[in-house]
Amino acid sequence: MSSSDFRPIEWSGDARSGTLRLLDQRLLPQAEVWLNYTGVEEVADAIRSMVVRGAPAIGITAAYGMVLAAINGEKRGLKPTALKQHLASAHSVLAATRPTAANLFWALQRCSNCIEDSPSAEMLLVLARSIHEDEVAANRRIGQFGAVRVQPGAGVLTHCNAGALATGGVGTAFAVLSEAHAQGKNIHVYVDETRPRLQGARLTAWELSRLKIPYTIICDGAAASLMAKRKIQLCVTGADRIARNGDTANKIGTYSVAVSAQHHQIPFYVAAPRSTFDVSIRDGADIPIEERAQSELINWGEEQVCPQGAAVYNPAFDVTPAPLIRGIFTEMGEISPVTEERICATLGK
Ligand code: MRU
């Protein structure tokens, strides 16, 4: 893989016998292992177990999962009505994987619309490829709009991973960092480690290393003290789902970053494509928040480090209220101030 434009999701073959290939993100950065998928149940497992993660990447993967379901249905000789039922159940299997990522439901809805009249693997593959390519193009524009806000010499804090691994393109929040770096702005990135799955320390740091962007990993709890020391001039994160009023769900801990940034008068930005907005949801209170296994918190590697029977709460995401967000970088431009009116005008809703 080249240093900048690697893709963690690949389709190989055609609409009769294709295979989905995913870079196993659970093993990074220690090992770069690719896994092959030919069935929708396995793709759902890959999303659930975070072989692939990040809202846009989940949406792209689900679209290819629908192609695999169609290929398998056609191989079994299913007639259009039976094939439609088969695809409807594939849709349900994929939709049940990670409830917060709006891009998952957006991509599945587009797949359903595409096969409304006549279901075919061929048509689904064309659609999946275009969803993939559109995300790549959107990422570049997000980076360009976001980099405008980055001052030369800035310390920039990010949380979780919103890079190529999470999107299939150059990333969302990460695109802002890489574009600012490419423009010679001499930035330094502070990377929240991102408990409990360490997407920051493992994945964002890996991506920054590949592009030779200077960075420092910090534990999540260190962010506020670095802000107090004036080391951070801007914060930017990705998003899993943005409600109509701009309330934004992202990796657990994002809300704490935004609150700390507000206290220190540091601008906090979100970067996200159109596919992450869910205008059917009025505000953040209605965003479904995924809760994950207790083992992610109580184990260190394979070993349990907490007392037996410890009570555990492990939400994967939190919601940052719109008033804490200075602006949202999208492929259509920056949405600022973050209000329902501006969001709907930008999305044409
Ligand atoms: O649980 P994850 O790793 O899927 O969470 C990912 C995030 O929170 C990202 O910030 C978000 O999906 C945006 S990715 C462009």
Side-chain angles (χ1 to χ4, degrees):
M1 289 187 286
S2 80
S3 63
S4 58
D5 55 351
F6 72 93
R7 299 223 185 159
I9 306 166
E10 282 182 6
W11 179 265
S12 100
D14 57 21
R16 276 191 305 276
S17 60
T19 302
L20 175 63
R21 301 187 71 239
L22 298 174
L23 177 60
D24 189 346
Q25 301 191 28
R26 299 168 305 181
L27 304 178
L28 290 172
Q30 277 77 22
E32 293 180 32
V33 174
W34 286 85
L35 301 175
N36 292 338
Y37 294 89
T38 53
V40 72
E41 297 282 353
E42 293 93 321
V43 172
D45 270 351
I47 296 173
R48 207 177 290 112
S49 66
M50 296 169 74
V51 168
V52 61
R53 28 73 43 208
I58 291 169
I60 295 164
T61 302
Y64 286 124
M66 290 296 290
V67 181
L68 292 173
I71 290 175
N72 291 328
E74 287 175 0
K75 274 189 186 152
R76 282 166 48 198
L78 297 181
K79 298 279 176 276
T81 309
L83 185 56
K84 257 188 168 178
Q85 279 165 4
H86 171 75
L87 290 172
S89 79
H91 181 132
S92 305
V93 166
L94 291 162
T97 52
R98 300 206 60 196
T100 308
N103 313 60
L104 169 64
F105 304 96
W106 173 87
L108 288 174
Q109 188 55 51
R110 289 194 64 190
C111 290
S112 292
N113 297 347
C114 159
I115 53 166
E116 184 90 57
D117 297 330
S118 59
S120 92
E122 189 85 52
M123 278 165 54
L124 280 169
L125 181 56
V126 170
L127 175 67
R129 284 201 159 119
S130 87
I131 288 175
H132 198 166
E133 292 314 315
D134 287 353
E135 288 293 352
V136 173
N139 283 184
R140 292 198 191 288
R141 290 179 61 76
I142 288 170
Q144 286 157 0
F145 288 121
V148 171
R149 295 293 185 195
V150 182
Q151 297 305 314
V156 183
L157 179 88
T158 192
H159 189 78
C160 196
N161 172 264
L165 292 166
T167 64
V170 286
T172 54
F174 194 94
V176 177
L177 307 176
S178 59
E179 179 62 25
H181 174 74
Q183 290 177 6
K185 287 196 169 173
N186 193 26
I187 61 168
H188 190 96
V189 182
Y190 290 93
V191 182
D192 274 356
E193 64 169 345
T194 318
R195 284 282 296 151
R197 301 282 299 223
L198 303 182
Q199 290 94 329
R202 294 189 304 108
L203 308 178
T204 301
W206 183 70
E207 292 192 38
L208 288 164
S209 308
R210 294 165 68 89
L211 294 188
K212 300 194 171 22
I213 301 176
Y215 70 89
T216 303
I217 298 170
I218 58 172
C219 70
D220 298 349
S225 71
L226 278 180
M227 291 180 191
K229 291 189 168 98
R230 297 282 156 221
K231 295 277 189 195
I232 294 165
Q233 282 70 47
L234 180 141
C235 304
V236 62
T237 73
D240 265 71
R241 194 183 292 231
I242 302 173
R244 193 178 180 87
N245 72 340
D247 290 353
T248 295
N250 192 51
K251 178 55 54 194
I252 191 74
T254 303
Y255 178 33
S256 307
V257 171
V259 169
S260 300
Q262 171 94 341
H263 180 75
H264 293 96
Q265 284 112 46
I266 295 166
F268 174 91
Y269 287 96
V270 167
R274 165 187 280 277
S275 51
T276 303
F277 288 81
D278 180 357
V279 293
S280 74
I281 283 187
R282 214 181 32 155
D283 62 37
D286 289 335
I287 298 178
I289 299 295
E290 175 186 4
E291 282 187 42
R292 293 189 61 86
Q294 297 192 353
S295 56
E296 289 186 346
L297 277 187
I298 63 179
N299 291 357
W300 190 251
E302 296 298 302
E303 198 187 332
Q304 180 165 337
V305 290
C306 302
Q308 289 297 337
V312 174
Y313 173 52
N314 184 21
F317 302 97
D318 57 24
V319 175
T320 299
L324 296 182
I325 304 170
R326 178 71 61 90
I328 304 177
F329 307 130
T330 74
E331 64 270 46
M332 290 87 60
E334 180 185 327
I335 300 178
S336 180
V338 179
T339 60
E340 175 172 341
E341 205 176 32
R342 291 277 297 116
I343 287 172
C344 290
T346 305
L347 297 175
K349 300 277 179 185

